[in-house]
Amino acid sequence: MNKKRALITGITGQDGSYLAELLLEKGYEVFGFYRRTSTPSYSRISHLLDKIYLIPGDLTDQTSITYAIKESNPSEVYNLGAQSFVESAFETAISTAEADALGPVRILESIKLLNPGIKFYQASTSEMYGKVQEIPQTEKTPFYPRSPYGAAKLYAHWATINYREAYGMHASCGILFNHESPRRGEEFVTKKIARYVAAVKYNLTDHIPLGNLDAKRDWGYAKDFVEAMWLMLQKKNPDDYVIATGETHTVREFIEEALKVAELKNPIEKYVKVMPEFLRPAEVDILLGDPSKAKEKLGWKPKTKFKELVRIMVTVELENLKDCKKFNHRKPRIYKAGIAPDRPIKPL
């Protein structure tokens, strides 16, 4: 019996690495579509490199997408590739739209032309709700994105539904709320908190630079959430699902819990420094998902509670920084025009 084949875009990211592990456990042949750079990063999938097949390409390039699908010949395509950091989306709105809005459409076009029977998963996001119109948010809640990232993802979300309805394609969207893990990128607030708390613990820094401490998020564990992606493509009929924990917590709560894990007993004011540079131009105040449909139709539910998630993330960072002599952390942004400090200015 032939193994099922899956193609994952963004396989080198947090979700891509966990999904690759899950599919391998289920007996799939796994192909990963990744963006080639001068210094490629395989850190999240280094333990899988002898078990998966990698195909270089770019979501902004139709030819490489078509080639990857033709070469891998998958029964399932999971589109997890994106520019997913909201702050960067404000600074690079056009390239974010190219990858996050038009990238999925390019994949859908290639599937339609090569094999319309391929099942497609689109990674939608709770950021599409933005200025929320109701609490909690469900599959029927009106969208109101508050960032170029949310707007780009909303275009891709509706495009996926359109291809499903217009061409009868098995195309599903997972509206995933915030999901974290030790593999989260260092620019994301949960990873940042975990790293800085560990650095404070070992006297590598004396403060944690953050933005809005009162923002509320529905935080789950990425390893739990990728299972929901797979379950969507096992259903006979495609559909869209909110994937969330159904609980919301503030950034302040996350910090407080992280400090407890590190056994730092002072109040957070002792450690946290609120930096205007880290405030969003348009804030999303609260995200709280209702995963009832996923529980009923997919049989899915989150396994990892909030406090356990924080414990997992901080424990890993404590181990990572245990023997460090110097803590290399990013400096605050200087240029309000939107040029990040790790992206040098080139002369005209």
Side-chain angles (χ1 to χ4, degrees):
M1 187 171 113
N2 292 332
K3 286 185 174 182
K4 293 177 74 173
R5 289 184 166 202
L7 175 65
I8 304 171
T9 72
I11 195 169
T12 59
Q14 170 188 254
D15 292 8
S17 64
Y18 282 120
L19 180 60
E21 288 176 349
L22 176 69
L23 295 180
L24 287 170
E25 289 171 6
K26 293 184 178 297
Y28 282 68
E29 280 188 284
V30 176
F31 294 77
F33 183 78
Y34 75 103
R35 185 164 58 89
R36 191 195 294 277
T37 61
S38 58
T39 54
S41 175
Y42 304 127
S43 59
R44 296 183 181 95
I45 57 169
S46 59
H47 60 300
L48 303 176
L49 290 178
D50 61 342
K51 302 173 184 175
I52 62 179
Y53 304 91
L54 293 178
I55 304 174
D58 198 296
L59 287 174
T60 66
D61 180 60
Q62 185 74 58
T63 301
S64 64
I65 292 170
T66 301
Y67 172 80
I69 295 173
K70 187 174 181 179
E71 187 71 14
S72 59
N73 189 27
S75 57
E76 300 170 4
V77 172
Y78 296 84
N79 180 39
L80 310 184
Q83 191 301 101
S84 59
F85 186 43
V86 174
E87 180 182 339
S88 292
F90 281 103
E91 299 164 353
T92 57
I94 294 173
S95 61
T96 296
E98 281 287 345
D100 296 9
L102 296 180
V105 176
R106 295 185 182 103
I107 297 172
L108 287 162
E109 273 295 298
S110 293
I111 291 174
K112 186 183 73 171
L113 292 171
L114 294 172
N115 179 5
I118 294 172
K119 296 180 178 180
F120 175 73
Y121 169 82
Q122 167 59 17
S124 292
T125 171
S126 58
E127 287 286 336
M128 299 188 309
Y129 294 117
K131 188 174 182 180
V132 299
Q133 304 299 292
E134 65 178 4
I135 301 173
Q137 294 88 56
T138 72
E139 292 81 3
K140 296 181 179 180
T141 300
F143 298 113
Y144 195 139
R146 297 267 281 171
S147 69
Y149 168 70
K153 280 288 193 175
L154 183 55
Y155 177 90
H157 178 81
W158 279 114
T160 301
I161 294 171
N162 181 249
Y163 273 74
R164 180 170 76 214
E165 295 178 349
Y167 305 113
M169 296 170 65
H170 196 296
S172 296
C173 298
I175 308 173
L176 271 61
F177 281 64
N178 294 67
H179 46 292
E180 319 298 319
S181 77
R183 299 180 191 176
R184 195 55 143 149
E186 292 184 5
E187 66 272 25
F188 289 88
V189 67
T190 53
K191 177 76 167 187
K192 184 177 180 180
I193 291 169
R195 289 189 75 243
Y196 269 86
V197 164
V200 169
K201 174 72 173 179
Y202 297 130
N203 297 313
L204 298 172
T205 186
D206 61 359
H207 70 284
I208 308 170
L210 292 169
N212 183 7
L213 304 186
D214 298 318
K216 295 180 179 180
R217 294 293 183 269
D218 185 328
W219 278 304
Y221 187 24
K223 193 171 183 178
D224 294 345
F225 280 36
V226 298
E227 182 185 15
M229 302 175 188
W230 175 77
L231 287 169
M232 289 179 212
L233 297 199
Q234 309 319 302
K235 298 294 289 184
K236 180 179 179 181
N237 297 316
D239 207 343
D240 309 316
Y241 300 88
V242 164
I243 305 300
T245 69
E247 296 181 7
T248 191
H249 299 272
T250 63
V251 173
R252 182 183 297 273
E253 288 178 80
F254 198 104
I255 301 165
E256 290 172 344
E257 196 59 39
L259 293 172
K260 290 178 186 176
V261 174
E263 298 181 343
L264 294 169
K265 302 185 184 303
N266 290 318
I268 68 169
E269 288 75 19
K270 170 75 175 177
Y271 309 108
V272 173
K273 185 175 181 181
V274 175
M275 309 284 285
E277 293 88 348
F278 296 123
L279 298 174
R280 292 188 186 185
E283 183 58 84
V284 174
D285 297 315
I286 179 171
L287 292 173
L288 174 61
D290 179 357
S292 298
K293 181 178 176 181
K295 290 180 180 179
E296 179 186 351
K297 303 290 186 181
L298 302 177
W300 177 88
K301 64 179 181 179
K303 302 181 180 75
T304 308
K305 296 292 186 181
F306 173 73
K307 290 184 178 182
E308 177 63 10
L309 172 64
V310 178
R311 187 196 65 77
I312 291 170
M313 295 185 68
V314 175
T315 299
V316 168
E317 296 307 320
L318 287 169
E319 183 62 28
N320 287 344
L321 294 183
K322 183 169 62 175
D323 299 318
C324 283
K325 304 300 181 184
K326 186 178 180 181
F327 180 57
N328 296 317
H329 55 84
R330 293 177 60 183
K331 296 178 181 178
R333 292 177 302 159
I334 299 172
Y335 299 95
K336 290 186 179 180
I339 300 174
D342 55 356
R343 197 163 56 247
I345 305 170
K346 294 182 180 180
L348 296 175

